[in-house]
Amino acid sequence: SNGFSLARRVLIEGEAPLSLQSSFGSLGTLGDALLRPTRIYVKAARVALEHDVHAMCHITGGGLPENLPRVTPENMGVVIDVGAWKVDPVFSLIQERGAVDDEEMRRTFNMGVGFTMVVAPDRARQLVDALEAIGERAFIMGEVVGRDGVSFHS
């Protein structure tokens, strides 16, 4: 639901608008892709609580840059490897058609990362495996570091 105004302007109101009925691969139509409901992560959160998770964060408005600082201690930050996951195709389409820069995309959308968990490095792989065992798409996307803010690298 976040960024829907930008998505609408870029995809269906701009130059060469797309049809909401146009095919969008395995997601059905473009309209289907844009109207997918927000996921609820109750099962994943319960699994995380069994694995000494330090923090959990639902990535909503403000994306990763504004949500992750809410769960990191003062004077700590997060470095994110943007190659750790495949960006949802609808976000790639919006970015390409609207010539939207990476920073705005990350601030407006979750880029396919709906929920994050912070766990000790030696527990990360075990948590990923447990989440995958319940059908979640899980991956290690970065690390907590000793400086403020959220930074991205590839």
Side-chain angles (χ1 to χ4, degrees):
S1 62
N2 299 308
F4 198 73
S5 297
L6 174 60
R8 185 179 58 244
R9 179 173 40 86
V10 167
L11 300 177
I12 60 178
E13 293 175 353
E15 295 177 30
L18 299 173
S19 167
L20 293 175
Q21 282 70 43
S22 61
S23 176
F24 202 70
S26 65
L27 298 175
T29 67
L30 178 59
D32 294 333
L34 292 172
L35 293 176
R36 278 182 291 172
T38 298
R39 292 211 36 231
I40 305 299
Y41 297 93
V42 173
K43 289 180 184 176
R46 286 186 176 147
V47 167
L49 291 173
E50 297 170 2
H51 288 82
D52 297 324
V53 70
H54 297 298
M56 293 183 265
C57 184
H58 192 197
I59 308 303
T60 59
L64 292 163
E66 291 182 21
N67 286 277
L68 288 177
R70 295 178 185 158
V71 299
T72 51
E74 267 188 58
N75 302 317
M76 300 296 283
V78 180
V79 175
I80 297 172
D81 175 5
V82 296
W85 74 97
K86 185 176 186 277
V87 172
D88 189 303
V90 75
F91 299 127
S92 299
L93 180 65
I94 292 166
Q95 186 169 25
E96 290 168 16
R97 288 187 55 99
V100 182
D101 67 36
D102 290 340
E103 186 176 331
E104 183 174 354
M105 289 297 294
R106 292 176 185 142
R107 199 177 50 247
T108 304
F109 303 105
N110 69 20
M111 303 305 291
V113 177
F115 200 78
T116 61
M117 300 172 182
V118 179
V119 65
D122 63 333
R123 311 271 305 180
R125 177 53 36 203
Q126 182 182 10
L127 177 57
V128 167
D129 292 345
L131 291 166
E132 289 177 341
I134 65 163
E136 291 291 342
R137 181 177 57 110
F139 47 88
I140 298 169
M141 63 182 277
E143 65 181 329
V144 176
V145 294
R147 63 177 186 272
D148 285 333
V150 176
S151 59
F152 298 87
H153 70 88
S154 45

